[in-house]
Amino acid sequence: MSHQHGAHKHGAHKHGAHQSASDLASAIGWTAPAGWPARSIGECKAMLTAPGQRFEMASADIGGVPTRIWKNAPHSLRDIAATGRSHGQREFLIYEDERVTYDAWHRATAALAHELVARGIGKGDRVALAMRNLPEWPVAFFAATTIGAICVPLNAWWTGPELAYGLSDSGARLLICDDERWDRIVPHLGMCPAVEGALISRIPNVSRTNGLTGIAERLDDIIGSPPSYARLPARELPDAEVAPDDAATIFYTSGTTGNPKGALGSHRNLASNIMASAYNAAVAVLRRGEDLPGPAHKTGLTVIPLFHVTACSAGLMGSIWAGNTLIFMHRWDTVKAFEIIEREKVNTTGGVPTIAWQMIEHPARENHDLSSLEVISYGGAPAAPELVRKIYETFGALPGNGWGMTETMATVTGHLSEDYLNRPTSCGPPVAVSDIRIMDETGTQEMPVGEVGELWARGPQIVKGYWNKPDATAETFVNGWVRTGDLACVDEEGFCTIVDRAKDMIIRGGENIYSSEVENVLYDHPAVTDAALVGLPHRTLGEEPAAVVHLAPGTSATQAELQEWVAARIAKFKVPVRVVFSEDTLPRNANGKILKRDLYALFEAEPGS
């Protein structure tokens, strides 16, 4: 996350040049049903947070800052694990032909936690976790955090040197990983002097272990394989004193420049997300004028990597608390996903917008019964307004979105169902315990409603700071607020719209061009399913906007046609001077953010550059 305060006067520009929410709602073919909304956002908040209600709030001192908190949130990850155990024989994890109940998961978690304690791992020690989404992942995560250690989920897409950087930077004493990650890390272990041991899952054969270095052992030798977890003894977790604001995790930011920074998260951060997700769902029901439903068991297909806060904090924590079933895939495959949704009667899925588009566009969709889907939600990347309507039309499912970042342990704002259809470019209002504000480039003046500035956020889900980076922490975290580096505006009802990353804004001859505004107009074109705007250098103007687009199968469009489309809808200076067509969907990082730096080569390869 980088800040460019003072480089341009982004606070001085009105957001009025953007299409209004009602214009976009009608553009995607949605009209609010009669009587909706039955209640205002404020009324919903008052009802849900009233004394004695599930979402009642209290106050706590967090790092010397008085902060609103959820009164009924779990105390720590130990509480979450105990609630998970109480779901007993209900299925928790499904991966290919492996099925693990909540009881079996807790048996494996307790067994591994006792092993970690026996190895001298304790409060504040870092335990790195590097593997694809496997049943072993939630076992290792809770085994470490429930004894007071700090779990460090490393990006499973990283190369060997990147994984070694995470191990070295965090000072991890123990690594728990799968066979693929181990192969990448082994040549670089010399960069990780703190690592004393490694527990490796899914090693293909016994002879292979003979070639492992002295610090490596098979995880299966300690807890068995997932199908055998149910045969482990039922044990309590080891005793440990864990307070809500004790450190629990280090998630690395998806920095697009320089080395990633480790965001130091607390037990309270993760527990707060359970309440935030449930609160957002409750608001959507009350906005309809309906009564809140009782608890219901849901099945979710998790396709976001668990090393990302969206999947771990906003997904895994709430699922355990509610006793839901989670399904993991070896890797994303649209047809396999259809088969899983049909066979397991999946209620919720999503991840990043690309996945939703692939499900909508795939010709095999008609061959499967996907009627169990109720919600398709995503985060990590802006989504085309058109996608909101397509989800509703194609699956009869309600769309979900929200805003958060690694530094906020996921959810700060939530945007679901009719509210999302009604404001398809917004990411929703903040949850009850959180505040957002829009600040000028100096960070000293709050901007009026409707004007663009830097988004700041605060609440009990904001992380403690960056691991071992006091200067970066001081720059980004200010009296309980996190300076996000996102440019945004807020309307009269508190709905937030992210306009751009500060560093993604294009300045053409002194005029600000917010890339998301132009991308949304391109997305509105019936042929476009993926779009990104970048700035090309220009001798006199500084930079000019240029677009990379991916078209839906079976459709066509030309550069001139798309330029005319944009020119008919927004100011002429925002029209891309070049449009390059990509055969594939655009490159993204693990969090779903388009890698804009990778797109510049496409313009160099095109004639006329």
Side-chain angles (χ1 to χ4, degrees):
M1 200 166 66
S2 71
H3 298 282
Q4 300 172 326
H5 305 295
H8 42 260
K9 299 256 187 301
H10 53 247
H13 286 255
K14 284 268 189 187
H15 190 54
H18 291 244
Q19 294 163 286
S20 73
S22 58
D23 288 346
L24 272 165
S26 60
I28 66 167
W30 188 79
T31 308
W36 183 91
R39 298 180 176 95
S40 71
I41 293 291
E43 287 171 326
C44 295
K45 179 177 175 178
M47 290 175 66
L48 292 169
T49 61
Q53 297 302 305
R54 179 182 177 193
F55 299 102
E56 182 179 354
M57 295 185 287
S59 183
D61 182 300
I62 302 178
V65 178
T67 306
R68 290 197 309 283
I69 62 168
W70 303 111
K71 185 176 180 181
N72 300 314
H75 185 79
S76 72
L77 289 157
R78 290 178 68 87
D79 286 355
I80 298 171
T83 297
R85 184 186 197 182
S86 74
H87 301 309
Q89 296 307 311
R90 181 175 283 174
E91 280 192 336
F92 174 20
L93 304 166
I94 299 173
Y95 173 73
E96 299 190 331
D97 59 351
E98 301 173 6
R99 290 175 179 262
V100 178
T101 65
Y102 274 95
D103 175 73
W105 161 76
H106 193 276
R107 288 169 187 253
T109 300
L112 183 55
H114 280 281
E115 177 69 22
L116 297 183
V117 169
R119 290 169 182 245
I121 301 290
K123 192 150 194 171
D125 287 331
R126 275 79 65 205
V127 176
L129 175 54
M131 62 174 69
R132 66 171 68 244
N133 287 3
L134 294 169
E136 294 94 319
W137 203 104
V139 170
F141 182 85
F142 276 87
T145 54
T146 55
I147 62 171
I150 299 171
C151 187
V152 187
L154 297 177
N155 187 322
W157 294 8
W158 276 353
T159 62
E162 288 171 321
L163 289 164
Y165 170 80
L167 286 168
S168 171
D169 182 70
S170 66
R173 287 182 57 194
L174 180 70
L175 167 66
I176 303 175
C177 67
D178 58 21
D179 184 55
E180 295 167 87
R181 259 40 64 178
W182 180 245
D183 279 347
R184 284 185 217 164
I185 290 167
V186 165
H188 309 283
L189 276 175
M191 295 169 57
C192 317
V195 176
E196 300 166 4
L199 304 178
I200 322 296
S201 74
R202 315 236 164 195
I203 293 174
N205 54 59
V206 175
S207 64
R208 170 68 203 285
T209 59
N210 297 333
L212 295 178
T213 70
I215 65 166
E217 301 166 67
R218 289 164 56 102
L219 180 64
D220 284 14
D221 290 345
I222 298 166
I223 58 172
S225 63
S228 67
Y229 289 169
R231 297 197 291 274
L232 291 165
R235 303 171 72 184
E236 301 299 324
L237 291 168
D239 289 336
E241 288 294 323
V242 179
D245 296 310
D246 284 351
T249 55
I250 297 173
F251 282 94
Y252 279 88
T253 61
S254 58
T256 48
T257 55
N259 283 323
K261 297 187 284 287
L264 183 62
S266 70
H267 288 259
R268 192 192 304 278
N269 293 160
L270 289 146
S272 292
N273 236 314
I274 291 174
M275 306 300 288
S277 300
Y279 175 83
N280 287 331
V283 168
V285 172
L286 292 183
R287 292 275 275 172
R288 259 178 238 134
E290 297 173 0
D291 294 330
L292 293 175
H297 173 248
K298 302 290 184 186
T299 297
L301 175 60
T302 298
V303 293
I304 321 173
L306 287 163
F307 57 73
H308 179 39
V309 292
T310 304
C312 180
S313 184
L316 180 64
M317 297 301 128
S319 291
I320 293 174
W321 195 249
N324 293 337
T325 300
L326 289 182
I327 305 171
F328 300 152
M329 295 178 74
H330 181 73
R331 63 170 52 88
W332 172 253
D333 178 291
T334 312
V335 174
K336 281 189 178 162
F338 289 155
E339 292 167 355
I340 291 169
I341 292 165
E342 183 172 33
R343 182 178 68 246
E344 304 291 346
K345 301 287 184 283
V346 169
N347 309 116
T348 64
T349 191
V352 294
T354 317
I355 282 168
W357 277 119
Q358 288 174 0
M359 290 172 61
I360 288 164
E361 292 176 352
H362 203 288
R365 178 171 53 76
E366 300 293 340
N367 306 334
H368 299 276
D369 176 7
L370 309 178
S371 60
S372 60
L373 283 174
E374 298 169 10
V375 175
I376 297 179
S377 58
Y378 39 82
E386 174 74 357
L387 179 57
V388 185
R389 177 176 68 84
K390 287 275 194 183
I391 286 171
Y392 190 53
E393 276 185 358
T394 307
F395 301 105
L398 289 166
N401 196 357
W403 174 83
M405 57 201 302
T406 309
E407 289 86 347
T408 69
M409 198 64 80
T411 310
V412 174
T413 73
H415 207 30
L416 302 174
S417 309
E418 294 86 356
D419 269 314
Y420 192 5
L421 289 160
N422 197 50
R423 283 181 170 88
T425 57
S426 173
C427 57
V431 297
V433 292
S434 298
D435 297 301
I436 58 176
R437 65 185 186 188
I438 309 298
M439 303 296 286
D440 72 357
E441 67 272 14
T442 68
T444 58
Q445 187 75 32
E446 191 163 354
M447 303 300 295
V449 165
E451 292 200 13
V452 173
E454 188 190 8
L455 175 62
W456 291 33
R458 72 175 175 188
Q461 70 278 65
I462 308 300
V463 301
K464 298 162 81 72
Y466 294 123
W467 177 255
N468 282 345
K469 290 193 169 44
D471 292 347
T473 297
E475 181 192 349
T476 304
F477 299 91
V478 183
N479 296 326
W481 293 90
V482 59
R483 308 174 66 159
T484 70
D486 282 334
L487 299 181
C489 65
V490 174
D491 68 16
E492 294 81 358
E493 285 189 89
F495 282 76
C496 178
T497 298
I498 307 287
V499 177
D500 217 341
R501 289 291 295 170
K503 61 176 179 254
D504 283 348
M505 189 169 68
I506 297 162
I507 308 174
R508 179 184 190 171
E511 292 290 341
N512 292 356
I513 301 173
Y514 302 119
S515 58
S516 64
E517 178 186 12
V518 184
E519 289 160 2
N520 280 338
V521 173
L522 287 166
Y523 277 130
D524 282 341
H525 188 282
V528 174
T529 62
D530 215 1
L533 197 75
V534 297
L536 297 182
H538 188 275
R539 189 168 59 85
T540 55
L541 293 172
E543 52 186 349
E544 288 189 305
V548 181
V549 300
H550 168 68
L551 303 179
T555 66
S556 64
T558 64
Q559 171 175 288
E561 180 185 341
L562 292 178
Q563 287 170 324
E564 288 169 20
W565 175 270
V566 175
R569 286 160 177 80
I570 53 176
K572 299 288 187 287
F573 73 85
K574 301 174 183 178
V575 175
V577 297
R578 302 261 308 282
V579 179
V580 170
F581 296 88
S582 170
E583 287 188 19
D584 302 313
T585 53
L586 305 187
R588 284 170 162 81
N589 67 14
N591 300 348
K593 292 174 183 153
I594 291 174
L595 296 170
K596 292 195 173 184
R597 64 170 184 263
D598 292 0
L599 302 179
Y600 288 96
L602 297 174
F603 293 95
E604 293 163 14
E606 283 279 308
S609 59

